[in-house]
Amino acid sequence: MSGVRIEEVLLVAIVVAPALVGAALLGARVVRISSSNAGWLGAAVLAVMAVVSWPVVVSGVSVGTPFVAGSELGLAAGGPAVLLLPTMLVVATLVLTVATSEPETSEPRFTGLMLLFTSAAALTVLATSLPALLVGWELMGVASYALIGYRWADPRRVGSGATAFLTTRGADLGLYLATAAALAGGTDLSLDSLAGMDGGWRDVAAAGVLVAGLGKAAQLPFSFWLARAMDGPSPASALLHSAAMVALGGYLLVRLSPLLEGTSWAGATTSWVGVTTAVLLGCVAIAQTDLKQLLAASTAAQLGFVVLAAGVGATAAGTTHLVAHAAVKSLLFLAAGAWLHALGTKRLFALTGALRLWPALGALSGAGLLALSGLPPLSLWATKDAVLAGVREESLPLYLCALLASALSVAYALVALVILARPRRPRHDIGLDEEQPGTRAVDARVPIALAPLALAGVVLGLLTLPQVLDRVPGRIPVAPSTSELVVSSALVVLVAVGTGTWVLRRWDRCDEQASASSPVTGLLGSWLHLERAAHTLIVRPTLRTAAAAARVDDRIIAGAASGAARLTIRAARSVARLDDRALSGAVARTASGTLRAAGSSARGDASIAGVVQGVARGARRGGRAVRRTSSSGQLHRYYLQLVGSLLVVLVLVSVVVLIESSR
Amino acid sequence: MLSALLFLPLLAAVLLLVPAVSDRVARLAFVAVALVEVVGVAVLWWRYDDPGTGRLAFEEQVSWIPGIGSSYHVGLDGFSLPLVAMTTVVFLACAVFALAEARRPRLQAALFLALETTCLGVFASADLIVFFVFFDLSIVGMYLSINGWGHGDRARSALQFFLYTFLGSLALLVGFVGLYVASESHTFDMVTLAADPPLQGDGAVGVLVLGAVLLGLAVKTPTVPFHTWLPPAHTDAPAIGSAVLAGVMLKLGTYGLVRIAMPMFPDALRAWAPVLVAVGIASVLWGALVALAQTDLKRMIAYTSVNHMGYVVLAVGAAGVVGSDGGTDDAELRRTAITGAVTQMVSHGLLTTALFLLAGVVWSRHRDYAMDQYGGLASHAPRFAALLVVAALGSLGLPGLSGFVAELQIFAGSIGTVPVSAVALIGILLMTAVLLRAVQRLITGPSGPLSEEFTDVRPREWVPVGGLLALAIGVGIFPRPLLDLIEPAAATVASLVAR
């Protein structure tokens, strides 16, 4: 075992250690740990893993063990994971640190689930083969189910978890399909071998991967699960819907971009789905009246840029956008959670001026919102422009749509920023405490944990400097030209000013109830009615079919079996009747006929009569013997048995005959 | 050694029939013998070497009815050893669970030990008559279990179970006799019959005889549309009866597919393959859909078995679709499908036993399986809730548990040979909905009328369930020891079918 490198052990530990600690915390009755200690233990484990991840990604080691169907359960610190793994672990550490400040999210169960989730997410980014990826991918899904439905006594929240899990698992079936296609295509199921397949199976694999990635990344038409996922605790959203889960949907497509581009259609389809989501969900975000819903819609929209990058093959840029977005969005979700905790609401209307209440938190989240808007020179401006440069090279219509999407991202970020930064209303307590009693306090841990995220949100644009971007794994089609940067900056400023003015005016004149009444805002506010559509088109018909199937099963299929049994009994009865009346009558008549014939022949031939009488005597003796053996003395039962056995023999004989005759 | 393991439970059963044995001793003896069986199988597994094509490990053969070419012939290979191991584990779990049995525990222990011998006998037998005798005796044993220890309309359910599956076994017998008559040497020996399939090239006759065998196995498995004996039998059976019925006895049917139908009827199986694929897909979808509509916990679990066994039938059917090149090209795919099928048998044995024992816990608390009567059990019975969640996640095929390893291989192998198999993927999603709904109705939300005074699981309840789930997790995370056992046997059968 001298050949085992320390980095290999650490690589395995990054996946295994959080899982083990998480599982132990879930069995907290066994380990008996207090709530606050559980939270700190979780944060500490993840902090160690985050530190450990640096030497691991620098060394680029890989390990593997045989798994199913000739594939490996392998881990490798390569590809986009080089940036994503440390990002994810750092974000998870900070999120768990903030989570310790609230009683609910410092319970061992919450920490345990977050650790299990992080472990699954780490496995997903490190996996080298489709089966290994699928393991992490699906475990991540079920952990998110448990986290979204964390408050299990509330059926609505549990239902939200189920919506998220069922929707993403439906899309995950694509990965099962891709695995089957990869095996049929003759690969060893490793991710790197997929692009090298040829023939129809490559298209099937690409389609499967595409569906799975779009589902997890909350792209259209799957986006609605992300809206329901906001029912989970805010720290869960801060990890799941910024740096992991949703982000890993984008990761999958970036990682397998060569496979998508290898087909004639998948690259373009990916790009267009991404840009459409970025535009439509951008509009949805503007129309939201709830801060977390706005952030969720913007997550789907921002992931649209990553998906777009995967479609056009600008994978290095896509990776930097994922990383920058993870920092910014986890910061904002944590801030929304802090305000919810303190003020008891996450409705934008009620949060007016919240930015001013706690200056440190306000400054950090203000920076986050500015970064989200894509204001130069903050991180998302730079990473998004790196993606756009790749898009422009690919197709002009796509580029124009992507510009529209960037304008929308300025708009929704500014809507939130302006409302949150306005002076408090005169009647400032309207709408407070409507979800939960607020504490009117923000723990010191919150700004401390948010500071590194805000810093990252400001400076991570450095990743797109040519000297750095060249070292990011993935393809860089082209660097953004100066004119592009000027155009996009001007666009940001124009839209920002426009939106700011519009929001200020609108919010002065009317409140949200009035504005939510128009059909367009209704459509956008409800996330394009996607959830209702899924219910109408899929869920309800399925449940109706299930009920109908159950009725058919009970009445017709089970009915046929018991009907056959009843028929058999009825047939047996009528055979018995036939036996009593017709058969015994016939036997009697035959007997008397025989006797008569015998009498006549006796007259003709005495010697034959002697024989006949001998046979008759024998038959009589046999009959008596039969009567003795048949305990009931009812001969018709005996006949019935005889007929039955004859039938069996007949079947067997006919089988034999058939076989013999066919030789 | 193998025969000693086979007949030890029967011997113990006979001894337990002595009325002087106290109930306490009988319960403990049940656990002790079941434990010895598990240890014995572990030893066998330790000493097992793959015997190679057409051979068996731990083989024993004694002349029995030479007149019809039948002998007492037993042995193990990569298919039977995992199932024998799974069977002993299931019976041990049942023995521990039955430690608090109040109704005639001595007789129940005797009955279940005898049942263990019959189930092990089916998996170990290498002679069709021995197979058939054990097969039919297991039906009798299960009939007695449902009728004697069940609840509800148990007499009717037991009789329906008996008649239905017994009729199925008659069809099986017709098929066996057909094989016997057609064989050169007039034998019932399974190794001989597999080495030189008698009806090969006989066209319609082989198809007809295999049809009889498949009908018998389809009833036992059960597949759509022969599954309707299953829900009433489960609903009215005692917890450990359901556990053995679903955990072990359903596999007698699917085991017959890989042990008899595939190697002994190669070309007839290829003819039947499209039907098997269709029946497999139908069972997957129908079982999941009907399960989705159930409100009774135990009926729901029963229908999930129809779904899970459907995957096995699908895989066997897909493995029977051999390409025009004689199957060398897709041998890898077909091997994967068969490996998945056998893994699924083991996995389903562990997981569904756990689920049925948990249903037994529910019944023992309030004599009611109606899921809407419960709710919020996560606070009333957290340990029960945790076990139920893990068992449900395993049953819905979550990675990290054995079901995923099985189903991924089934689909990876089947879709490549028969692309239409992809339709059955919907079954995975439906099962997710089925089990999430059940879990949510029972353990989340507000407390239901029967949730109060729902005592959490006791040690004799959580130990067996926890043990089964631990094994399922073990297979899910470290599948290689199991797969290393199954894969050579699967490769053999895949090549036999292509003959």
Side-chain angles (χ1 to χ4, degrees), chain A residues 484-561:
Chain A
E484 273 171 25
L485 292 178
V486 170
V487 166
S488 80
S489 308
L491 186 77
V492 169
V493 174
L494 270 177
V495 176
V497 172
T499 313
T501 332
W502 175 70
V503 171
L504 285 174
R505 261 200 230 133
R506 175 167 169 256
W507 242 255
D508 276 344
R509 266 193 272 124
C510 54
D511 67 8
E512 58 186 317
Q513 267 77 21
S515 66
S517 56
S518 93
V520 176
T521 44
L523 178 72
L524 294 176
S526 66
W527 291 62
L528 313 173
H529 295 308
L530 285 171
E531 190 181 358
R532 200 198 291 173
H535 268 272
T536 317
L537 296 177
I538 298 169
V539 178
R540 243 171 274 142
T542 306
L543 290 177
R544 227 175 285 141
T545 314
R551 275 197 301 278
V552 169
D553 203 77
D554 284 346
R555 293 187 198 154
I556 299 178
I557 303 183

Side-chain angles (χ1 to χ4, degrees), chain B residues 17 34 56 60 78 112 138 162 210 231 234 242 253 285 291 298 316 330 343 402 408 411 455 471:
Chain B
L17 287 179
L56 295 169
E60 289 167 25
F112 273 79
S138 73
F162 182 82
L210 178 59
H234 273 309
S242 275
L285 298 181
K298 226 176 171 189
V316 169
D330 50 14
T343 315
S402 51
L408 182 67
F411 280 112
T455 327
L471 278 175

Side-chain angles (χ1 to χ4, degrees), chain A residues 5-382:
Chain A
R5 291 171 60 187
I6 180 75
E7 287 89 352
E8 292 174 355
V9 178
L10 295 178
L11 178 62
V12 174
I14 287 172
V15 174
V16 173
L20 289 181
V21 178
L25 286 177
L26 285 182
R29 279 159 201 277
V30 186
V31 295
R32 294 195 188 285
I33 185 164
S34 74
S35 287
S36 56
N37 289 344
W40 287 117
L41 174 67
V45 168
L46 291 181
V48 171
M49 293 307 129
V51 171
V52 154
S53 70
W54 283 111
V56 169
V57 297
V58 169
S59 69
V61 287
S62 60
V63 293
T65 175
F67 198 48
V68 297
S71 69
E72 275 214 325
L73 190 63
L75 305 174
V82 170
L83 283 181
L84 272 180
L85 180 71
T87 307
M88 203 171 70
L89 291 169
V90 168
V91 168
T93 308
L94 297 173
V95 164
L96 271 187
T97 309
V98 171
T100 55
S101 68
E102 292 179 31
E104 185 185 39
T105 52
S106 55
E107 280 174 27
R109 185 164 64 96
F110 183 80
T111 313
L113 286 172
M114 289 288 275
L115 286 177
L116 283 184
F117 175 87
T118 311
S119 162
L123 174 57
T124 305
V125 290
L126 293 171
T128 56
S129 69
L130 273 174
L133 179 91
L134 196 44
V135 171
W137 191 259
E138 294 249 66
L139 287 175
M140 200 165 61
V142 79
S144 77
Y145 166 69
L147 282 167
I148 295 166
Y150 182 71
R151 286 172 234 179
W152 49 261
D154 178 355
R156 150 122 193 143
R157 291 181 202 269
V158 177
S160 298
T163 303
F165 186 41
L166 284 171
T167 310
T168 51
R169 193 157 205 233
D172 293 354
L173 296 181
L175 279 182
Y176 285 83
L177 189 65
T179 307
L183 193 68
T187 73
D188 62 353
L189 303 185
S190 68
L191 296 179
D192 294 329
S193 69
L194 296 180
M197 289 160 63
D198 41 35
W201 289 119
R202 188 181 55 191
D203 292 274
V204 176
V209 165
L210 179 57
V211 170
L214 294 179
K216 272 282 200 272
Q219 300 297 288
L220 291 171
F222 302 105
S223 312
F224 61 91
W225 71 261
L226 193 56
R228 291 293 299 266
M230 292 302 114
D231 283 347
S234 297
S237 304
L239 177 60
L240 271 59
H241 309 127
S242 67
M245 182 88 178
V246 181
L248 298 194
Y251 156 79
L252 178 73
L253 298 179
V254 168
R255 175 81 168 79
L256 294 178
S257 175
L259 170 68
L260 301 175
E261 288 202 279
T263 65
S264 57
W265 54 274
T269 310
T270 310
S271 314
W272 278 107
V273 173
V275 84
T276 311
T277 307
V279 170
L280 289 182
L281 271 293
C283 298
V284 167
I286 296 173
Q288 296 308 307
T289 55
D290 176 299
L291 179 57
K292 272 183 86 176
Q293 291 290 326
L294 183 151
L295 293 175
S298 91
T299 293
Q302 292 288 335
L303 259 293
F305 288 108
V306 178
V307 172
L308 179 59
V312 299
T315 51
T319 306
T320 60
H321 194 65
L322 262 182
V323 170
H325 172 255
V328 169
K329 198 51 74 66
S330 54
L331 158 71
L332 292 174
F333 271 122
L334 286 174
W339 286 319
L340 174 63
H341 185 60
L343 301 174
T345 183
K346 49 191 167 53
R347 277 204 309 135
L348 273 173
F349 184 63
L351 286 174
T352 305
L355 224 52
R356 297 166 179 248
L357 289 177
W358 292 277
L361 174 63
L364 293 169
S365 38
L369 282 170
L370 285 176
L372 184 66
S373 75
L375 191 76
L378 304 182
S379 61
L380 288 178
W381 167 77

Side-chain angles (χ1 to χ4, degrees), chain A residues 67 145 152 169 553-554 663, chain B residues 182 227 286 303 432 440 480:
Chain A
F67 198 48
Y145 166 69
W152 49 261
R169 193 157 205 233
D553 203 77
D554 284 346
R663 304 206 133 194
Chain B
H227 63 282
W286 189 259
Y303 278 106
T432 312
Q440 288 175 194
R480 276 330 302 178

Side-chain angles (χ1 to χ4, degrees), chain B residues 200-424:
Chain B
Q200 188 75 337
D202 265 351
V205 183
V207 171
L208 275 181
V209 176
L210 178 59
V213 171
L214 290 180
L215 178 64
L217 297 176
V219 170
K220 186 78 186 181
T221 298
T223 69
V224 169
F226 306 111
H227 63 282
T228 51
W229 59 266
L230 188 71
H234 273 309
T235 314
D236 298 334
I240 62 169
S242 275
V244 168
L245 177 58
V248 180
M249 287 179 64
L250 300 191
K251 277 71 191 187
L252 305 187
T254 48
Y255 176 71
L257 288 178
V258 293
R259 170 60 69 217
I260 296 170
M262 298 191 89
M264 296 182 200
F265 298 89
D267 59 358
L269 188 100
R270 295 202 294 274
W272 276 100
V275 178
L276 285 174
V277 169
V279 168
I281 295 175
S283 297
V284 164
L285 298 181
W286 189 259
L289 268 180
V290 179
L292 191 56
Q294 300 304 314
T295 53
D296 176 302
L297 174 64
K298 226 176 171 189
R299 272 181 82 85
M300 183 213 84
I301 304 174
Y303 278 106
T304 65
S305 291
V306 177
N307 164 281
H308 283 138
M309 292 297 98
Y311 294 123
V312 177
V313 176
L314 167 64
V316 169
V321 176
V322 177
S324 51
D325 61 345
T328 48
D329 195 33
D330 50 14
E332 162 85 7
L333 292 179
R334 295 185 299 113
R335 190 203 70 180
T336 305
I338 298 169
T339 309
V342 178
T343 315
Q344 174 78 335
M345 293 185 216
V346 176
S347 160
H348 181 255
L350 300 172
L351 291 168
T352 207
T353 303
L355 278 176
F356 272 122
L357 292 182
L358 289 171
V361 171
V362 171
W363 176 261
S364 72
R365 300 302 188 262
H366 288 298
R367 315 253 144 213
D368 199 335
Y369 290 128
M371 287 188 274
D372 50 13
Q373 296 295 304
Y374 300 89
L377 289 180
S379 66
H380 300 277
R383 254 180 269 134
F384 169 83
L387 291 172
L388 183 71
V389 167
V390 176
L393 293 180
S395 191
L396 62 80
L398 192 78
L401 287 111
S402 51
F404 169 77
V405 175
E407 284 162 25
L408 182 67
Q409 292 187 88
I410 288 174
F411 280 112
S414 301
I415 293 175
T417 44
V418 188
V420 74
S421 314
V423 175

